[in-house]
Structures are given as C-alpha cells and as structure tokens.
Amino acid sequence: MMAQKSQRIHELQFGGQSLSPELDDQSTPPLPSIETDERMETDHNISTASPLYDEEVVDDEFARDADEFARGVDSLSITRKSHAEKRADIFKLIDRYYQYADKKVRALRKSQGQVSRTGFGRSYDASSQDSMDLDEVDNWPESQASAEKLKKWELEAQTWDMLRRILPLRYPNKTSLKPTRHDVSRFHSCSELWDEFLQSDSTAQERKAILECLQTSADESRTDIDELVRDYQQRAERGDIIAYGWLHTRSAIKTKKNVNGWSGPLDPNASDVSQILRNESTPLVTQLDPDVATRQGRKLQPEDEYFERAIWLGCYELLRRGRSIAEIRDWCVERTEVWRAVSMSAMPLSKDESQSRFSCDPLSMLLWRRTCFALARQGGTDDFERAVYGILSGDISSVEKICEDWDDFVYAHYNALLRTQFDAYLIKRSPLDATTAITQAFPSFNAVQFHGDATSVGERLVRSLETNTKTCTEAKTPMKTLQAAIISNNLDQYMYELGLALGKSANKKGISTLIPNFGDPDQDVDESKFVQLQDHDGLRVLVHVYLILSKLEQLQGGLYLEQSERLKVQQNIISAYVSTLRLSELMDFMPVYCHQMQGDRAFFTLSRNVTSLREDKDRDYLLRLMEKLGMDIAEFVKFQPYSLLQQHPDTEEPGPPFGRFTVLSNDPPTLKLGRPLKPDFLGEPPEKLDDVDEHLIQSLEWFLLVDGLWDEIFHFGTAIYKRFLKQFNFYAALALAERVKCADIFRKKAGIVYSDDTDISWFDEVRASAAAGALEDSGVGPKEVAAAQNYFEMECLVRAINSMETIASSEYIVQDPAENVGRDFWSNIGREVKALKGYMRPILNNWLMESIQEDEDFTYLRDAYIPEMVIGYVSALHFAGMALTRENLLECMELSAVIARKDADVAAVIMKAGRMKELVEGFANCSKALAITSNDKKSTSGISSKRMMREHGWTKELWSVKK
C-alpha cells in the first residue's frame, strides 16, 4: 500500500482557499450578489495528512482540480442552516467554481503568450462580400494540445458563469419582495422603465443573464478588436492612419473636380459626372455623408470599402462583446467616426449595466428601434453594418449572416427576444395614440412572435442549432449540450439522459453494477452528445452541476427527495465520478460524493470502489472521513458483506456431499505410511483470488476496524465460510482463515489476547470463563461465545486441511531418495502434526451441530468433510508415528476409542458415507505399525512423552512384540 506522506496537497478542508498558487491574481469580478471572499462554513473541518497517496499522484493536475472542487461539496450537506442560508451558500459555491476556472484560463493564456484578450483567433469569411478575400488571421504559436486545453477551460468557465447568473433567477428566495410598479400617469425615462421591466419579468431577467454571459465570454476569448480589424485596415492602404474617414474616395473626387473644373456638390445624375467619376467600371459616390452609398447606389473606392468594413466589424464586435457606450464612443472617436457611436447609444445592452443607462424617452426608443430595423433590412453596403443595426433593432436574419459559432447564434436570438419584450413593454407603458402612429408607420421584427410558444423557445432554439450547418458539430459536443440544457431550462432531463448514456457506455463490454444500464426503451440517447467515461474533467464538471441542481431542487421541495427510478439513473453521474476518483487514486474524496447519493447506493458505490485499500491504516483513515461527514460507518461495514452476498448469491445446486473432497491417494497402504495422503490435494494455488471471493474477505476485514458488531461479523463470517466450503473453494477459505482469524476478532473487539492462536484450547478457556461470568468487563458472555462457535469451528476445519496438505507433501518428499532432508524439515513436520491434532479436536466433537439457528448447510458440510478428514487424520498420525515418534501411533489408537463412544457423532456420519470399513482398515494398519515399531525416530513434538503417556494410561511395552 502507498506510504503515508507528511506533506500533502489534497487536504479536505472544505471551504478553504484555492490550492492553485500558479494561477494569476486577476479574475473576472464576481456578480454583485455573490461574496467570493467569504470562507464557506461546513459542518466538518477535515484536515489531516492522508496515508492514501503518493507525491507523484498528488502532483497530477486532475488531482489538484478535483481537490479544489471537493472542498466545496461538503458545504452542500449542512443541516443546521435555514433554507435561505443554504441557498446563498450554493450560489457562493457556483461562483467559487467559476473563479477557479477563470483563473485557470488566465494562467493558460499567460503561459501561451496571449497577453491581450485572445482565445482562438477568428477570421470572417469575406468571399461573399464583393470578392474582398481576406487572408487567414495568423494563429499564435501554440501546440494543439495546449490550445485544446485552453478551449476546454474557456468552455468550463463559460458554463459556470452561465450557471451563476441563471440559477439564482430560477431558484429565488421565496420571501423576496416583488417590485413596486410606478404610477402610469407620471412620465418615466427608458432607464426607469427598463429597471421596472426587468424586475417584473423573470423571463427577461434570464435572457439578459444569458446575453451577459455570452458577451463576457466573447470579450474574454475572442481576438482583440484592433488585431481583428488590422488586416482590413492594411488593405485600406492608409498606413497607421485609422481616422479621417474615406481618404481614397475623397482624394478621387477632389482630383476629378480639379481636372474637370467642377465646383460645389456634384449631381450624381449628371451625364458627365456619371461617365467620368468612376473607378474603372464602377461609379463612385459624389458626396461623403455616411449614407451616401445607400442613397446613391454607388461605391466607395475599394480601399475605403476595406476601411468601412473594418469600422463596422469593430462596431459589431463592440456590441457582441457587451462593451459600454463609453468604450464604444472612445473607439469611434479615435477613428473620427463618433456618429456611429451616437447611432448605437440609445440601447446597446452592455454587460456592465451601471454604464448602460438609457436617457431617451420611450417614444424615441420605439422610433429608434424601428429605424435601426429598416437599416438592417434595407440599408447599408456591408453585412457587418447590417448586423450592427440588426443587433440594435432586435433582428435575427441580418445578424445570423455573420454568425460563426453556437454562441453567436444564441446571442442573436436572445438579443432579439429581449429587445422585442422591452419594446412591447414600452408600448404598453406609453400613450396608445402615440405608439399606434409609430408602430403602424414603421415596422419592426417581433422575435417573440417569430419563436412562438414562450415556454419552449430555448429548447427549440438549441435543437435548431443541431441541424444548422454552421453549428451542428459544435452543438453536439458535450459542453455545448450542457449549456443548451442550461439555457432551455432542461437540466433535469439532460442529467437523466446523461445517466442513461453513461450506463449504456459502461455496459458495452460487460455488466457494470456501479454504473448500471437502466435501458429505457423509450429513450434513444445519442451518446456522442454526452461526456464519455474517460473524460475525467468533463465528469468533474457535470457531477458538481448535478449536485448543485439536486440541492436547489431539494430546497424548493422538488422531486429529488424521492428515490425514484429517474433519480437512480441520474445518480450514475456521481457513481461514474467516484470511479474516476478511484482510477486517479483519489480515494479520500470518494466519501464526499457518495454521501450525496440516496439510499443504499451510497454505501454500494463506496464499498465497490475501496477494494484496492488493503492496509488497515488506509481503511481506518477512510472510516474517520466518513464519520466526520456524518455517515454511519457501522451500517457501511455491515452493508458490504450483505450486498455482496445478495449480488452474488450461491445459486448453484451442490452435488452429493460424499466424495467431493478427497485427501487420500489411490495407492495401496504400506506399513510405513499406512494409506498414503495425496500430495498437493488442494491443487495449484491461483495467482489471485476471484474478485468476489476477495471482496467478501475484505468485507470482514473492515469489521475489525469498527467497535461492536459482534453478532454481525460472526453472522456474515459464517455465511462466507459456508459459501467457500460448499463450493470446495479451499484457497479462498484459507485466505479468510489467515486474514480474519477468530482469535483476532476476540482480541480486537473484546481485548482477549492469547499468544498462540494455533493452540485452539484458547476457545475452550474463553467458553469456560464466559460461563463463569469472568469476561463481563470485556462484554463476552455465553451468548457471544455461541455466536462465534460455528465461525471458529469452520476455521479449525480449514486450518486442519491446510496442515494435512503440508503433511501429505512431506510424505511425498520423504519417499524421494534424492531429497536430503534435515532437522529443520522434521521440526516443521512435527509442528504441523501438533497443529493438526489441535484443529481436529472440534471436528471430532459435535462439529457444526450446535448453532444459534438450524441450518441445513451444516449437515451438508458435515457429510462432505468429516469422513474424509477423519480417515485422512488416521493416515497422518500413522505417518507421524513412523517418521517422528510412536506416541502418534498411540494417539491414533486412542482415536478409535473416541469415535466408538456412545455420545460421539462422528461414527454416524462415517456410517452414512459408507466408509466405516476404510476407517477400520486405517486403524488396523496403525496397530500393525505400532506392534513392530519399538524405537522413536525423531522427537520433535515438544511435549513430554512420558507425561502424555501417563495421562492416557499408555505404556510402550503394551504394544511391543517380544521374541
């Protein structure tokens, strides 16, 4: 097992500070309602050096990320707080996860040399715009792996940002007060009506939150605007001059005027002007006002068209990124194009709301929106210009023309929906006659009417993006499907489908009990849209989203409290992540997540994932963590063997008991060996135990680490022994006898210590002491001894079998003349013979006949083992008597008297098996050997032979044959 380290990064100190010193200090400011600098309160303060991990594992990046996220999960289980406090803590946790992901993004950008706000540079395809081709924007020199890593963290940060903005709106505090509506008769500015509109319309609040998230993400990840428009400006052939308008067109007009002697404004319809003022075959504008190209239907000089596109591209990006009107104005002023900022100033919908106050009156706002719509549909010479006015008017088609990715399309639709909603609100709050005049004279695009049923707008939108040629691939990626579920308020169904997909994936190559395939025949799930089991980071994100959502549902009194089939499917997500933690050797985090599961599945998932913990100190550490989390460790320990036996029942019908187990060879008996034992009668030991057998033994080992559970450990231990012995699974039974000794159970649970557990007389002493009441302080009485008796008896059988096989192998070695055996060899045989004699005592005396409950399996085990063990024992004593000391032969003869007693139970079983003749022949062979053997070979038993003979009334001369 892994050695304990004194220093460890993964300290479960939930609610603590970030463990990521490599991240820079800059981060996106938190939402105003969320305090990120507060230390999260938890019920537990788990901070201890873990013995479970090695430094190389601790240094793994996934381990650090998993550690940071695990710190906050425990706060979700606090019970002593009010619902409002719990809700606030959940939202703080979401913001904390966002801050962590955002810092990772900034650190990655910094490491990749992206000092400006750049992500994946994007270039707009200009091939459809009057044959103005644009070279691809040069990418930053970075490896594909690092680029993918940055993109992954950008998507994660965007997801957490979306959740921190939307979930507080969907799960509001029920005691919060509704806003007071202002007097209709009083004049209100658009700013006041905007605030009132948002406070009164939850759908509008959500749409605004989604817009702000998409704006923030674009502002952080897209190429810097100045960098983005640089190529257009270079094609404009104006050097470093970014101001002063259409320089090339102005120069062309001025030159033509001078050459032709024209003065004053030129008439575009004049024949000489039409023929002379041209750029090759294209007529040029005659004036320089902003809408001249649209009004006259003429062109600018090609260089100025590039300049114009650069300006409109910049304006579009400023709006798309949610920049404030002050930033838009500064950008336009720098280019002496302030009129463009004025045209956008009425309602830019900036992400920084404090700088987005609308100073105009409602009627002006209504008229301005419709004017922008007319320009979006009928004006402008460039798609970017029309898209700018499309954003401002709430149009969709004009904006979609230049949308490049999933985010752009969602932004276009939600921008249109929000502006349409506000437009309707302004109409409702303004005088009817004035609004009627405007709406009848100037049309506008109604996005709400375009999308139809308001309750399913989001769901239909994100589904349409799965079929859009520009977005279909991106829309089916795991993180975008998650964001789609967030936007469409369909997270519960998404988590259900994710659980189905994980179950389907986990069961492709075999049955998985940890992540079962629930196989809903009515649910056809596209696995490619969901995170895969090998995507550890994706699972990390999804499990925390699921836990947060489930806790919010519980606070709202949702269905998450019910142990429904739907919930079982969804909890595949937790189970998959717990398995990920195991595979990453982060097992001290597993209780944190299993604690969030419902019902027995918490213990089931944890127990199946801790099987690699073999050292007591590791298991004890995990149990202490569970205790601090409020988990019932006694129930957990009891659950392990119970669930294993339930999951893997011994359903195979056992064959006839007689003859299934053999220790004797088919060779004829000899004077020296009697009837010989079969060498290695247990067969070759397996390289490792069967997984189920190993886990059953481990489940009993956990009992030794928990106080109490006396009856339970012997109940399950007896059941496991019966299982192994009925299956004649000797190596599993031997492992159990070695690893969970009955003497160890008495020592650890009752403090009763015996120095030599091979001397089974300790159990008789305990029985006598318990009957006399001498062990009351240890909590052991006759009832406790009775609970342990069958376990002890089966352990004696298993150890007797093991000793007998060792003796059988020794017989084989002795017969090989090539083997040169020494004193140590005979000493080992003597110890095994002595041990065998002790283990056989319970087998010869009512073995498995006294039990708390009647059990037919005990009768089967008696029939299967007693006849062979007794006859084999006679053969072992015969060999020991000839090879070591003849006292063993005397004991063999005494054995015949023991079996022949009236109260003995062994004879009946041997008679039932039809093997009494074999037993009698064994005794006869032994008596012959005793009659002709007069000298001891090797005295190795360590027992005073004279004293033993006196106690049994034996004499050597009795069996000596005198000549």
Side-chain angles (χ1 to χ4, degrees):
M1 206 63 225
M2 292 166 278
Q4 180 173 356
K5 303 296 181 181
S6 59
Q7 198 73 18
R8 152 172 204 269
I9 293 179
H10 304 297
E11 293 180 352
L12 288 178
Q13 200 169 20
F14 303 119
Q17 299 300 313
S18 171
L19 294 181
S20 302
E22 76 279 5
L23 304 179
D24 59 27
D25 294 332
Q26 298 179 352
S27 64
T28 302
L31 297 176
S33 62
I34 300 177
E35 301 174 13
T36 59
D37 57 347
E38 288 187 12
R39 190 177 186 85
M40 283 208 172
E41 183 180 354
T42 68
D43 277 339
H44 329 103
N45 183 20
I46 303 176
S47 177
T48 181
S50 167
L52 305 182
Y53 309 105
D54 168 310
E55 287 174 352
E56 292 180 0
V57 176
V58 170
D59 197 43
D60 180 70
E61 184 176 4
F62 174 75
R64 293 194 297 272
D65 297 336
D67 174 48
E68 179 64 25
F69 275 70
R71 289 169 176 271
V73 173
D74 186 52
S75 63
L76 302 180
S77 303
I78 298 174
T79 56
R80 65 175 180 271
K81 289 188 175 183
S82 66
H83 277 21
E85 290 173 322
K86 290 179 182 178
R87 175 182 169 276
D89 281 347
I90 292 173
F91 296 146
K92 288 178 186 178
L93 180 61
I94 300 172
D95 189 69
R96 174 179 169 178
Y97 289 160
Y98 165 70
Q99 297 295 338
Y100 181 80
D102 184 62
K103 287 182 179 181
K104 294 279 282 192
V105 170
R106 293 175 180 275
L108 287 168
R109 287 178 184 154
K110 186 176 181 180
S111 68
Q112 296 177 18
Q114 300 181 13
V115 291
S116 61
R117 277 182 294 199
T118 61
F120 289 85
R122 54 194 289 140
S123 61
Y124 292 92
D125 183 6
S127 60
S128 64
Q129 306 242 348
D130 303 320
S131 302
M132 293 169 59
D133 295 330
L134 189 64
D135 292 337
E136 291 183 356
V137 176
D138 293 334
N139 292 325
W140 289 90
E142 59 190 21
S143 69
Q144 183 178 357
S146 60
E148 290 176 354
K149 183 177 180 181
L150 174 59
K151 181 64 175 176
K152 175 180 72 70
W153 278 104
E154 285 178 338
L155 285 170
E156 179 171 341
Q158 184 185 40
T159 302
W160 289 119
D161 188 29
M162 195 176 289
L163 287 167
R164 72 178 187 143
R165 295 174 187 275
I166 292 177
L167 291 184
L169 301 174
R170 291 180 180 165
Y171 297 92
N173 191 341
K174 292 183 179 180
T175 60
S176 58
L177 298 175
K178 294 290 183 182
T180 304
R181 188 162 182 162
H182 294 123
D183 183 4
V184 179
S185 63
R186 189 175 69 82
F187 172 79
H188 302 293
S189 68
C190 280
S191 291
E192 291 176 313
L193 291 174
W194 173 253
D195 292 339
E196 185 180 301
F197 161 67
L198 288 178
Q199 291 172 0
S200 61
D201 193 324
S202 60
T203 302
Q205 292 174 20
E206 278 195 27
R207 289 172 178 167
K208 184 173 184 295
I210 291 169
L211 279 181
E212 289 175 346
C213 175
L214 295 172
Q215 290 169 332
T216 300
S217 175
D219 203 23
E220 291 292 331
S221 63
R222 290 161 88 120
T223 306
D224 184 78
I225 295 176
D226 290 341
E227 180 69 25
L228 195 62
V229 303
R230 183 173 298 159
D231 281 352
Y232 285 125
Q233 291 181 168
Q234 289 175 353
R235 289 173 179 263
E237 296 182 4
R238 47 198 298 142
D240 294 331
I241 301 173
I242 61 173
Y244 307 116
W246 303 327
L247 295 180
H248 295 276
T249 303
R250 181 186 294 116
S251 176
I253 294 173
K254 186 175 181 180
T255 299
K256 295 296 183 181
K257 278 186 173 183
N258 290 336
V259 170
N260 293 283
W262 296 335
S263 62
L266 300 179
D267 182 0
N269 297 318
S271 59
D272 55 345
V273 173
S274 295
Q275 294 176 5
I276 297 173
L277 191 58
R278 307 175 73 87
N279 176 25
E280 297 180 354
S281 61
T282 305
L284 293 178
V285 297
T286 62
Q287 297 172 6
L288 299 175
D289 57 285
D291 65 340
V292 64
T294 303
R295 186 178 69 252
Q296 294 184 352
R298 290 170 170 259
K299 297 286 187 179
L300 302 174
Q301 286 282 66
E303 295 85 356
D304 288 335
E305 288 189 337
Y306 281 114
F307 173 76
E308 185 74 0
R309 180 170 294 177
I311 296 294
W312 284 119
L313 170 58
C315 292
Y316 168 78
E317 286 292 329
L318 289 165
L319 290 173
R320 175 65 181 84
R321 301 174 193 216
R323 297 290 183 87
S324 67
I325 189 59
E327 292 176 289
I328 295 173
R329 182 177 59 248
D330 292 344
W331 195 86
C332 292
V333 166
E334 186 180 9
R335 290 156 176 77
T336 63
E337 300 286 333
V338 68
W339 68 270
R340 301 179 198 254
V342 173
S343 69
M344 294 183 280
S345 62
M347 190 179 174
L349 282 186
S350 304
K351 64 179 183 291
D352 186 358
E353 192 173 309
S354 63
Q355 300 183 28
S356 304
R357 314 314 298 169
F358 318 135
S359 57
C360 61
D361 63 87
L363 294 179
S364 297
M365 179 69 78
L366 293 172
L367 184 60
W368 171 80
R369 177 175 180 255
R370 283 155 178 77
T371 304
C372 289
F373 176 67
L375 289 169
R377 290 291 181 93
Q378 303 169 17
T381 59
D382 185 272
D383 282 348
F384 285 109
E385 179 183 0
R386 287 186 283 271
V388 166
Y389 289 115
I391 289 176
L392 296 171
S393 66
D395 187 31
I396 292 177
S397 61
S398 59
V399 182
E400 280 190 326
K401 287 182 180 178
I402 61 169
C403 288
E404 292 284 319
D405 58 21
W406 190 90
D407 286 11
D408 287 344
F409 279 91
V410 174
Y411 172 83
H413 284 262
Y414 271 73
N415 171 74
L417 286 164
L418 184 60
R419 290 179 185 271
T420 300
Q421 282 183 275
F422 185 51
D423 187 84
Y425 188 80
L426 289 178
I427 292 173
K428 185 178 179 181
R429 301 281 284 143
S430 301
L432 179 61
D433 54 346
T435 57
T436 301
I438 293 174
T439 56
Q440 290 180 350
F442 302 98
S444 64
F445 178 72
N446 190 324
V448 173
Q449 189 177 35
F450 172 80
H451 277 284
D453 182 12
T455 60
S456 59
V457 167
E459 185 174 357
R460 282 184 281 110
L461 170 61
V462 296
R463 284 185 178 176
S464 70
L465 296 180
E466 292 184 4
T467 57
N468 187 312
T469 55
K470 282 188 176 181
T471 60
C472 58
T473 301
E474 183 185 9
K476 294 179 181 179
T477 58
M479 201 56 73
K480 282 305 175 187
T481 56
L482 171 60
Q483 292 183 6
I486 297 170
I487 288 173
S488 60
N489 196 13
N490 207 20
L491 274 172
D492 180 68
Q493 179 64 19
Y494 175 85
M495 294 300 173
Y496 174 70
E497 292 179 7
L498 173 60
L500 290 175
L502 290 173
K504 186 177 178 182
S505 177
N507 288 270
K508 281 183 177 178
K509 296 182 179 180
I511 297 176
S512 171
T513 55
L514 277 172
I515 312 171
N517 184 7
F518 289 92
D520 188 343
D522 299 326
Q523 193 75 39
D524 184 19
V525 177
D526 183 359
E527 292 178 64
S528 64
K529 294 166 58 176
F530 298 95
V531 68
Q532 301 298 304
L533 289 169
Q534 61 270 24
D535 183 359
H536 294 182
D537 283 308
L539 285 172
R540 171 182 52 78
V541 174
L542 284 161
V543 74
H544 291 91
V545 173
Y546 170 72
L547 290 175
I548 286 167
L549 183 68
S550 63
K551 289 300 179 182
L552 286 171
E553 284 290 334
Q554 287 181 24
L555 292 177
Q556 295 289 105
L559 298 177
Y560 278 78
L561 291 174
E562 298 181 6
Q563 181 64 5
S564 63
E565 285 299 313
R566 187 177 185 84
L567 179 58
K568 292 177 182 177
V569 174
Q570 291 175 332
Q571 289 196 335
N572 271 354
I573 304 167
I574 303 178
S575 187
Y577 186 65
V578 172
S579 295
T580 294
L581 294 174
R582 170 179 56 81
L583 294 171
S584 303
E585 299 189 23
L586 299 172
M587 283 175 282
D588 56 350
F589 297 155
M590 294 192 303
V592 178
Y593 295 92
C594 291
H595 185 40
Q596 309 300 325
M597 302 180 82
Q598 299 290 325
D600 289 343
R601 195 166 181 187
F603 287 157
F604 181 86
T605 302
L606 185 56
S607 64
R608 297 305 187 268
N609 279 285
V610 297
T611 54
S612 60
L613 293 181
R614 302 296 180 92
E615 300 294 331
D616 281 351
K617 67 179 188 310
D618 298 339
R619 293 170 175 171
D620 187 64
Y621 174 77
L622 200 74
L623 290 173
R624 300 293 78 77
L625 287 179
M626 293 174 65
E627 269 190 322
K628 291 182 179 181
L629 289 166
M631 301 178 78
D632 190 331
I633 61 174
E635 287 299 319
F636 169 70
V637 168
K638 289 189 293 184
F639 178 82
Q640 291 192 59
Y642 170 78
S643 64
L644 283 167
L645 292 170
Q646 289 289 110
Q647 183 184 348
H648 305 282
D650 184 13
T651 56
E652 183 179 349
E653 191 68 29
F658 303 116
R660 298 285 303 277
F661 168 63
T662 59
V663 301
L664 298 162
S665 75
N666 294 324
D667 295 337
T670 65
L671 182 62
K672 183 176 181 180
L673 300 177
R675 185 175 178 183
L677 296 170
K678 183 193 301 182
D680 299 321
F681 58 76
L682 294 182
E684 286 293 323
E687 292 184 5
K688 68 182 189 69
L689 295 178
D690 176 79
D691 286 342
V692 175
D693 297 340
E694 173 62 31
H695 297 165
L696 284 168
I697 297 170
Q698 287 186 17
S699 71
L700 283 187
E701 291 177 321
W702 285 86
F703 275 88
L704 300 179
L705 303 174
V706 179
D707 294 336
L709 305 181
W710 182 276
D711 291 340
E712 289 84 352
I713 187 173
F714 287 116
H715 168 75
F716 288 115
T718 300
I720 295 170
Y721 260 133
K722 283 195 306 181
R723 177 191 181 95
F724 292 161
L725 292 174
K726 283 177 63 181
Q727 297 172 349
F728 302 94
N729 187 355
F730 296 115
Y731 282 106
L734 283 170
L736 176 56
E738 184 61 33
R739 289 160 56 179
V740 191
K741 299 175 182 177
C742 187
D744 287 342
I745 299 174
F746 274 79
R747 176 173 56 84
K748 292 190 176 183
K749 293 194 173 292
I752 299 173
V753 180
Y754 286 89
S755 59
D756 183 10
D757 63 357
T758 61
D759 181 3
I760 57 91
S761 60
W762 71 267
F763 193 81
D764 294 329
E765 294 178 18
V766 168
R767 191 201 313 270
S769 299
L775 299 178
E776 289 183 357
D777 293 343
S778 300
V780 176
K783 180 183 175 183
E784 285 69 31
V785 175
Q789 180 168 329
N790 295 147
Y791 184 89
F792 169 75
E793 289 174 338
M794 284 188 280
E795 180 184 304
C796 287
L797 171 69
V798 172
R799 300 178 93 175
I801 292 172
N802 189 45
S803 293
M804 192 173 290
E805 193 203 34
T806 303
I807 295 170
S809 299
S810 301
E811 281 187 16
Y812 181 77
I813 293 172
V814 168
Q815 295 178 69
D816 187 351
E819 291 288 345
N820 185 18
V821 296
R823 186 176 183 84
D824 290 343
F825 174 82
W826 294 111
S827 297
N828 289 334
I829 293 178
R831 282 192 290 270
E832 290 297 338
V833 171
K834 176 186 175 183
L836 177 60
K837 293 175 182 178
Y839 300 143
M840 286 299 297
R841 282 171 48 200
I843 299 171
L844 296 168
N845 185 24
N846 296 323
W847 186 70
L848 298 184
M849 292 188 68
E850 298 175 3
S851 60
I852 296 176
Q853 294 180 341
E854 291 188 9
D855 194 328
E856 293 181 358
D857 289 337
F858 287 162
T859 301
Y860 181 88
L861 294 179
R862 284 173 53 81
D863 292 344
Y865 287 98
I866 286 179
E868 192 73 9
M869 286 300 295
V870 172
I871 298 172
Y873 181 43
V874 171
S875 180
L877 290 176
H878 188 139
F879 166 70
M882 298 298 292
L884 298 175
T885 174
R886 68 197 301 261
E887 274 79 9
N888 292 302
L889 296 173
L890 294 173
E891 287 192 56
C892 184
M893 302 313 297
E894 178 68 16
L895 177 61
S896 63
V898 171
I899 295 174
R901 288 203 310 261
K902 289 184 179 181
D903 59 345
D905 63 291
V906 173
V909 179
I910 297 174
M911 289 288 290
K912 181 179 177 182
R915 302 189 66 181
M916 184 58 75
K917 180 181 177 182
E918 294 178 59
L919 179 61
V920 172
E921 289 175 349
F923 286 132
N925 292 330
C926 188
S927 66
K928 292 178 184 178
L930 183 61
I932 65 172
T933 303
S934 58
N935 299 320
D936 289 346
K937 307 287 184 179
K938 299 128 183 121
S939 181
T940 58
S941 64
I943 301 176
S944 172
S945 299
K946 292 182 179 180
R947 188 184 70 180
M948 184 180 69
M949 293 179 69
R950 283 198 306 270
E951 290 175 353
H952 287 81
W954 298 340
T955 64
K956 293 181 180 180
E957 292 75 16
L958 177 64
W959 291 91
S960 297
V961 178
K962 296 182 181 180
K963 295 181 181 179

